[in-house]
Amino acid sequence: PGPPVPLQAGQPRCASYSDIFGACLGACTCDVFDAAQGTFSDGSGVRMYQSQSQCWWMIAPVGAVSVSIAFPFFDTEVWGDSVYLYECESVLCNFPVEIASLAGWFWVDKNAVYTSNTGFLKVAFMSDWFMEAAGFTASWSSSSDCDVGFHKNNTTCVPCSVGDAYPSNAVQATNVCDKWLCNAGYFRTGDSCTPCSDATLTTPVGSEISSSCSCIAGYTGPIEGPCEACAEGMYKEAAGSEACKECPAGSYAIDSGLTMCHACPAGTFHNGTTASSTCIACPEHTFSNEQSVRERNCTCNPGYTGPDGGPCSPCAEGTYKDAAGPEACLHCPPGPPVPLQAGQPRCASYSDIFGACLGACTCDVFDAAQGTFSDGSGVRMYQSQSQCWWMIAPVGAVSVSIAFPFFDTEVWGDSVYLYECESVLCNFPVEIASLAGWFWVDKNAVYTSNTGFLKVAFMSDWFMEAAGFTASWSSSSDCDVGFHKNNTTCVPCSVGDAYPSNAVQATNVCDKWLCNAGYFRTGDSCTPCSDATLTTPVGSEISSSCSCIAGYTGPIEGPCEACAEGMYKEAAGSEACKECPAGSYAIDSGLTMCHACPAGTFHNGTTASSTCIACPEHTFSNEQSVRERNCTCNPGYTGPDGGPCSPCAEGTYKDAAGPEACLHCPPGPPVPL
């Protein structure tokens, strides 16, 4: 005997409340309460509760239709330790709906009452490994109405006497046994309730005659039917014999039998001249509010200009428009060196790109080869909720390195982030490091961006501050193509020895250069290979250096063909494509590597494969499996590797994958699933 869990075939273990709600960890005593009222606590008494507690309580008073709970005392660590309240459909709580999540001391109202209107309320408590508090006490109460066929005797529901129980499809009018009304959809016939002739008919509660049956909302027809569903684009709000109505302007009905129309979503409109099952999309580069009724409600987006309803054109480069509507675009004022692009809702600035600067810091863009900066707090603590950035972009640099000789931030919520960027705009940042705390940050460490652009960001939360940091950076620069070094400055090469197109600099001497990949040298210029599927090593001197790129195969200088599906080629050259090995596949042509077969599939590698084979029913395999025998029977099923697999019989289980036989559940609780 145990919890009321359905007995099903093919289960790996027997069920208990701990199986359903989880193990009970900590000082708490997890329990299921069926009393109408009571109290419980986290179980810690006068001590702090334990870290990593995992507790639950199910409150399911017998006959209750609602359960209410309050917390006269409540104190948990605010960031990681919480009490969760759920409304449940039954004592098993298969479909929990969260009522509240409580944490802290100051933020929890000790007079608040939380209610489940199903008669089942689950309480869960979870604490992390860091910091504990005094815990909580809880008290609950419940409300019960007698079921049909019972009446109240003081506070107890007792059966009605023989002869005055309620008929089927009746509802109780009072707590006196002989007072009842027929439910909606039924009418009274003597001492019984008779249903309307069709599911599309209904009645008010307590109806006495068949002519009370009328079409339900969303359907139309005469009294007592027959009823037809309102067509798409039509609706009917209430029961009765009234006709369906067309959806008004700004709305639509995509299905038949609807009781109300849906508002046209933002970006669409419907003028209401005819019944509509859809709304019309606004023209390109326009947008409308929800429930719009005409095309003129579609106005030009920010960054675009034109009449209401369109057509709308993008603002020209160097101009902007920051609001929707027909207004003209405006010219951007002078500002930082940010590319001016067409169709912009505002003029760009570094703050637009990197975010507002909040706190004591002074956000900046540095173009010097070396320098220092700090969080800006000086001898004080930095401010909470700081948001700071610095872009280090030394002129001509190919790498930037940064170190933090002093570093002290609050370890849990305040961090410095370092990013390698492709340009001063940092549209595609790649994180180099995330630094926080004092002890864990190496003050001698150096962090490097190999693009010549390095972004530093600092964020602090609202809780606890520290002394901050200082940073120092340096950079390394090589001259661009067409320049050479004069001491530490890059100066132009003399006329006649600049670099040709598609060349890379070999040294800081102007006449030393190499042709790029995909090109070979022809005198003083670089000639491309004859096809985009050919490439060369950097510095190639002859056309026969051109060979097929990875994923393609063919002779020297081409032509090249893409590797077929199920084949691959890893590197450039004239080698043939190879078949994907066992446990992998290539779904496309021209691939440089094969993909591992996903879990639940296999490929034996006997032929090139563009797909993997699914495991038989009730089996599963690891990723990159190479044979059908790798597909083993799931927990709850038994059979040979590769299948077929049969479910464990009722009262037996198997808790691991493989060919083993199912085992019998031991006698007594818990109950077989």
Side-chain angles (χ1 to χ4, degrees), residues 60-266:
V62 176
V65 295
S66 67
V67 180
S68 297
I69 193 168
F71 294 87
F73 176 79
F74 196 99
D75 180 17
T76 69
E77 192 259 316
V78 70
W79 297 115
D81 305 345
S82 297
V83 171
Y84 303 90
L85 308 179
Y86 300 96
E87 183 175 81
C88 302
E89 85 296 341
S90 71
V91 72
L92 300 182
C93 204
N94 290 316
F95 307 102
V97 177
E98 185 173 299
I99 300 169
S101 172
L102 312 178
W105 173 79
F106 180 80
W107 288 275
V108 175
D109 184 356
K110 313 307 184 293
N111 296 313
V113 177
Y114 308 92
T115 300
S116 165
N117 289 309
T118 62
F120 301 95
L121 189 149
K122 179 185 171 186
V123 182
F125 171 52
M126 306 286 286
S127 67
D128 62 16
W129 64 272
F130 181 69
M131 292 180 64
E132 296 81 38
F136 59 88
T137 58
S139 61
W140 85 86
S141 60
S142 60
S143 174
S144 301
D145 286 333
C146 292
D147 292 337
V148 170
F150 290 77
H151 71 98
K152 281 281 177 71
N153 182 0
N154 295 324
T155 59
T156 305
C157 292
V158 297
C160 292
S161 302
V162 175
D164 58 8
Y166 293 83
S168 175
N169 300 306
V171 292
Q172 185 166 316
T174 70
N175 277 316
V176 179
C177 285
D178 60 353
K179 300 295 183 183
W180 53 269
L181 303 171
C182 286
N183 239 327
Y186 294 80
F187 57 91
R188 190 158 183 160
T189 307
D191 288 332
S192 65
C193 294
T194 301
C196 293
S197 60
D198 190 271
T200 60
L201 293 165
T202 190
T203 61
V205 171
S207 292
E208 299 281 336
I209 52 177
S210 64
S211 59
S212 299
C213 295
S214 62
C215 295
I216 61 175
Y219 285 71
T220 186
I223 295 296
E224 298 190 55
C227 303
E228 292 185 357
C230 295
E232 294 179 6
M234 311 283 283
Y235 75 104
K236 180 166 158 270
E237 295 169 295
S241 57
E242 296 79 10
C244 300
K245 295 181 284 187
E246 292 183 355
C247 289
S251 65
Y252 70 105
I254 196 170
D255 298 312
S256 60
L258 292 187
T259 61
M260 62 181 293
C261 297
H262 306 293
C264 284

Side-chain angles (χ1 to χ4, degrees), residues 481-483 492-501 503 509-513 524:
V481 170
F483 290 78
C493 293
S494 303
V495 175
D497 58 8
Y499 291 82
S501 175
V509 181
C510 286
D511 61 353
K512 301 295 184 183
W513 52 268
D524 289 331

